[in-house]
Amino acid sequence: MFKHAFQLPDRFHVAAVQVATVWTNPESARQIDQLAAGEAADMEEWLGNLSQEEKLALCEDSRIQTQVLYGEAVIITEVKGDWAKVIIPSQPSNKDKNGYPGWIPLQQLKIMRRDEWVRPQMAAIKQKHAWLESENGKKLIRLSYMTCLPVEDVKASKVEVVTPQGKGYLPKDAVEVFRTAYGGEQRDGSNIIKEGEQYIGLEYLWGGMSAFGYDCSGFAYAVHKANGYRIARDASDQAAEGRRVPLDEVMPGDLLFFAYEEGKGNIHHVGIYYGEGKMLHSPSTGRGIEIAHLAGTAYERELCIARRYWEAGAV
């Protein structure tokens, strides 16, 4: 279903802010969301200013669809005033065969040409955050884990990258250089767990796709991408791909899916099997990423399917 490779057109747009939130429609962003929807998005200040009720409304009012990281490509399909309707080729979804759909403020996007953007290698940030710097070392933008930028040159202590604003530099010890946009060497389930453990305590964000806040499926997506696997954006789509694993044969790194009506209804959550009857997951608004026991909980009753992406031939 999601195995096709999308070819970027000669001209496309990329996110030109640290994280571009993808809204359900142009009316979804509230006045209190301008720090996320403005010309220079500031995720930390935005989230720090929101009350728990205001964060919960992002979900309950279905305001956010997903997010794209700095430099992530989008295709504009419609423009309405100061907003662009986009699809996101790097985030597979059943909502659109060409990528996840939603709306982004036009001022957060920069048009690029393939010949000025596409390079043989990509530098992926593997730390929680890293600063993009200018040539003289000035800190420009604090970027998220798994922000991927085209590599221009690898130097002694820095990696020169192409950015929406021109030439930039990332600390060499903060990145891994990949040959594709979707991750590097394909590693096993234990490495998926290792990547995820560094985010224990990070507060949940509905629609979140960055190290400033993840939702459940965004967290699963990010740690799989870091290990060389492109999976779907949403839990319900993730549950339809990969290799199905019997629930009594799950291994660390497998995805566990949970459904309403004690496992018989619609899938609403995904976690990563941790081993010894536990999972690593991003649970819900107001809570942080945690390692949770399944036995005796609602999760145990709602567990319905497991999928493995990290094994050869599973994707």
Side-chain angles (χ1 to χ4, degrees):
M1 178 166 52
F2 302 124
K3 292 184 172 66
H4 72 286
F6 185 90
Q7 180 70 31
L8 287 172
D10 289 339
R11 288 180 178 269
F12 56 94
H13 287 76
V14 299
V17 293
Q18 63 175 185
V19 178
T21 298
V22 182
W23 303 86
T24 302
N25 55 60
E27 294 73 44
S28 296
R30 306 159 295 185
Q31 186 60 39
I32 54 175
D33 298 322
Q34 290 312 299
L35 283 166
E39 185 176 3
D42 188 325
M43 290 295 295
E44 290 167 296
E45 189 173 355
W46 174 52
L47 294 173
N49 288 344
L50 292 182
S51 68
Q52 288 302 315
E53 291 75 16
E54 289 164 342
K55 290 178 183 176
L56 191 60
L58 295 171
C59 165
E60 292 184 338
D61 298 341
S62 190
R63 294 181 180 274
I64 294 178
Q65 291 295 304
T66 185
Q67 293 177 320
V68 290
L69 303 179
Y70 183 70
E72 192 166 356
V74 303
I75 308 299
I76 293 179
T77 60
E78 181 184 345
V79 173
K80 182 179 179 182
D82 297 329
W83 288 78
K85 188 174 185 180
V86 303
I87 54 171
I88 309 163
S90 56
Q91 297 183 24
S93 172
N94 265 329
K95 294 181 178 181
D96 189 301
K97 66 180 181 179
N98 292 316
Y100 213 99
W103 292 83
I104 298 177
L106 271 170
Q107 62 185 351
Q108 294 189 341
L109 301 174
K110 175 77 179 293
I111 192 166
M112 304 296 294
R113 299 195 314 268
R114 288 190 80 252
D115 61 356
E116 64 185 356
W117 186 258
V118 176
R119 297 291 188 276
Q121 295 179 316
M122 301 288 283
I125 294 174
K126 295 302 293 292
Q127 297 179 355
K128 189 173 183 180
H129 303 109
W131 280 95
L132 178 72
E133 299 178 354
S134 67
E135 191 167 6
N136 62 11
K138 179 183 178 182
K139 289 180 168 56
L140 302 175
I141 306 176
R142 191 166 184 244
L143 299 177
S144 166
Y145 173 73
M146 286 315 297
T147 296
C148 297
L149 295 169
V151 173
E152 193 66 60
D153 192 16
V154 178
K155 302 181 181 296
S157 62
K158 296 178 184 288
V159 177
E160 182 182 333
V161 293
V162 183
T163 85
Q165 284 81 25
K167 183 165 55 177
Y169 296 85
L170 292 169
K172 192 174 181 180
D173 60 3
V175 305
E176 181 176 350
V177 175
F178 293 157
R179 292 185 178 179
T180 73
Y182 298 117
E185 177 186 352
Q186 292 188 336
R187 304 179 179 96
D188 66 15
S190 65
N191 284 284
I192 290 172
I193 291 294
K194 183 179 180 181
E195 289 288 330
E197 285 177 319
Q198 64 185 309
Y199 297 104
I200 291 174
L202 178 67
E203 187 174 346
Y204 176 98
L205 174 64
W206 173 259
M209 288 288 280
S210 82
F212 300 104
Y214 288 107
D215 64 12
C216 65
S217 55
F219 180 51
Y221 175 97
V223 295
H224 276 75
K225 182 174 181 178
N227 284 284
Y229 303 99
R230 182 173 74 151
I231 67 174
R233 166 62 180 95
D234 287 341
S236 57
D237 290 337
Q238 292 170 357
E241 292 288 297
R243 176 173 294 165
R244 185 163 184 167
V245 179
L247 294 177
D248 60 354
E249 296 179 14
V250 292
M251 297 176 65
D254 292 347
L255 293 182
L256 306 179
F257 296 93
F258 305 87
Y260 295 115
E261 301 173 25
E262 297 194 347
K264 299 180 179 63
N266 293 327
I267 289 173
H268 66 86
H269 188 63
V270 58
I272 306 165
Y273 187 64
Y274 190 79
E276 300 179 344
K278 295 178 283 188
M279 71 171 170
L280 176 65
H281 72 141
S282 186
S284 59
T285 300
R287 295 171 61 188
I289 290 175
E290 64 181 10
I291 298 170
H293 287 273
L294 294 170
T297 69
Y299 290 121
E300 182 181 40
R301 296 189 296 274
E302 292 184 341
L303 179 60
C304 61
I305 193 172
R307 293 283 186 178
R308 180 175 300 160
Y309 285 90
W310 56 264
E311 198 171 58
V315 177

